[in-house]
Every structure is written in C-alpha cells, then in structure tokens.
Amino acid sequence: TNGQIDSPWDTTTYSGSGYSLTSSDNSRNAAWNNYVSWTFRKAPKFFDCGTFVTNNTTNQRINHSLGSAPGIVIVKRTDNTSHWYVYHQSTGRGQFLSLNTTDAANVSANFWGTSDPSSTDFGINSTNLANGTSWVWYAFAHDTSADGIIQCGSYTGNGSTTGPVVNLGWEPQYLVIKNASSTGNWQIIDNMRGMPVGYAVATLQANLLNAESNVDYVSPTATGFQVTSTSSEVNASGNTYIYLAIRRPNKPPTTGTQVYVGVTQTVGT
C-alpha cells in the first residue's frame, strides 16, 4: 500500500524482447529462489496503462487506448500510501474492490465517476481522493469476439465440488479470481506454474506475502474453466466471484507444411 519508492527495479535493463535483472535483492533475485513474472503487452483490446493527477471532480475522465470499454481498471496512488482500487465491470462503477485486502466489494456511489467506462476513457470520482495527488492506472480489456484473448466476468458459487462451469470459448492460461460478496484472497493461477486438469493448481494471493500453495480450486477446459472446490475462496454458495481470464496461445496451422514436412533420402548400399 506504500507510495512509489526507489527499488532494485531501477537498475533493471529493458529491451524490446523483455528485461534482465541486475540486482541481487532478495525479493526479486535471491540465489536458488523461484520467482514468477507476468508481463502484459500494451495493445488494443488487451491492456493499457498510464498515470493521472486528481483534480477534485466527480467525473474526472482518464483516456485509454484499448478501443473497447475496460473490463478491469486498477488505480494506485504513487506519491503516498493508498489502497489498490479495482473496478470490475461485473460489480459496476458504484463499487470498488481493493487488490491489497480480502474485503468484499465496497459500495460507494459513483466511485468510478458518474458515467460508465467507454471505448476511449474511464471515470474516477476524484472528490473521493486527495486533490492534486499522483496515481498510476492499469486497464484490462473485455473482448468476447471469436479471436479475443481476454475476458473479465463473474460466476455464482454453488458450494459443490462440481462447481460452476465458465464458458470463455477458449482455454485460459492465466486466471485471477476474487470473492466479491464476502472476504477472500485474490487468487492468481497460471499454466506456467501449474494449472492441470483434475489436479491441484498452483495459486498465489495478490494481497498476501505468502509463497504459492497447491489447491484443487479450478480445472481448465477447452472452452473455459470449471470450479472444483467448496472453498469460500472460489465457491461459497450464492456468492458472486469476479474473474480475469487470459487466453492460452493456440494458433491453428494454416498450411500442412507448418505441422508436417516429408523428406526423401537416398541410402547407400
């Protein structure tokens, strides 16, 4: 929840293909420790980010370049302490969640401005925040088109190991799940750390300092995912859960030579 500070990331080397760490700081590069990193590309209908300064208006508009209304917006003050405030389209602009807490969605009239996010901007009621302060924002798209790669939605828990089936139209590689009706941790699951079918998944909690744990929370399907736990973290009966899902890469071949090449060879006698 702290404001922006100097850190070992300041000496990180960035390139067009990624980055390299040049610090031995224990939180990012200790010997023999395992780390996970998620990098989101700024691109239309996927992800955008930027900064703004509050101006004490009820509908301060922040421009973005997603080309569609965002499904999730996260804002955080950088010049002092604050919550990581989260907008999700399923809870609406009259509520916010906190990425750094277990809190349920908080009702606050027009927290995200007096009009809904659009394909070009989103609102913030900056009268709720200290005037003239500096903030960073991150916006994720919601794209249900056939070739879309990201969706932000919700499901209702049923309290059963045969839990809700979420249909995305594709298999996810990255999931964030949060109980919006009650307290609960922010679960982060991805296929690089382990998201197998029918077995425990590796999950991290955005609001905690804990190492990852392996829990049978969800199982991916060819068209989405199914909740497989009775835990209130992901499936309390009647509770609403919001999610962010990013598509697993699966580019179909367009020519036979992309998947098969025949070779002739003369063998000497």
Side-chain angles (χ1 to χ4, degrees):
T1 61
N2 293 336
Q4 184 170 282
I5 59 173
D6 291 335
S7 76
W9 286 110
D10 296 333
T11 58
T12 299
T13 301
Y14 298 93
S15 70
S17 58
Y19 63 87
S20 60
L21 296 173
T22 55
S23 169
S24 59
D25 177 75
N26 285 343
S27 66
R28 299 167 180 84
N29 195 24
W32 312 116
N33 283 1
N34 292 324
Y35 296 84
V36 62
S37 170
W38 303 289
T39 304
F40 305 104
R41 180 178 181 176
K42 290 184 68 171
K45 295 188 177 181
F46 181 58
F47 175 74
D48 195 12
C49 60
T51 59
F52 68 92
V53 176
T54 54
N55 63 12
N56 200 39
T57 59
T58 58
N59 194 33
Q60 182 174 349
R61 305 304 291 183
I62 314 300
N63 293 327
H64 65 78
S65 59
L66 292 177
S68 60
I72 288 179
V73 176
I74 304 171
V75 300
K76 169 72 174 72
R77 186 173 175 180
T78 58
D79 59 359
N80 208 329
T81 58
S82 81
H83 286 292
W84 290 79
Y85 295 106
V86 181
Y87 161 86
H88 194 284
Q89 65 168 12
S90 296
T91 51
R93 60 182 170 82
Q95 300 185 58
F96 66 86
L97 295 112
S98 300
L99 189 62
N100 55 292
T101 75
T102 63
D103 294 349
N106 291 274
V107 176
S108 178
N110 298 326
F111 184 89
W112 299 100
T114 57
S115 57
D116 290 337
S118 74
S119 60
T120 58
D121 62 13
F122 65 88
I124 188 79
N125 185 345
S126 60
T127 62
N128 293 319
L129 313 172
N131 187 35
T133 54
S134 299
W135 295 72
V136 63
W137 59 267
Y138 308 92
F140 294 88
H142 172 63
D143 185 3
T144 58
S145 64
D147 58 352
I149 61 173
I150 185 170
Q151 290 187 31
C152 304
S154 64
Y155 64 85
T156 302
N158 64 11
S160 168
T161 54
T162 307
V165 176
V166 177
N167 182 18
L168 305 168
W170 35 259
E171 181 179 344
Q173 65 169 323
Y174 178 88
L175 289 172
V176 177
I177 299 174
K178 172 69 175 77
N179 190 338
S181 299
S182 185
T183 57
N185 294 307
W186 289 83
Q187 307 296 331
I188 304 178
I189 302 163
D190 65 74
N191 66 350
M192 295 300 295
R193 292 181 301 116
M195 188 166 49
V197 176
Y199 294 92
V201 297
T203 182
L204 286 165
Q205 290 80 35
N207 54 290
L208 298 178
L209 301 178
N210 298 4
E212 71 179 11
S213 56
N214 292 293
V215 189
D216 189 6
Y217 277 165
V218 298
S219 184
T221 70
T223 56
F225 64 94
Q226 180 171 17
V227 182
T228 55
S229 172
T230 61
S231 171
S232 62
E233 294 287 275
V234 292
N235 196 21
S237 182
N239 282 10
T240 297
Y241 293 82
I242 56 97
Y243 65 81
L244 162 66
I246 298 177
R247 187 173 189 163
R248 184 172 183 171
N250 181 27
K251 184 178 180 180
T254 56
T255 64
T257 55
Q258 291 179 343
V259 292
Y260 172 82
V261 178
V263 178
T264 60
Q265 181 176 0
T266 301
V267 180
T269 56

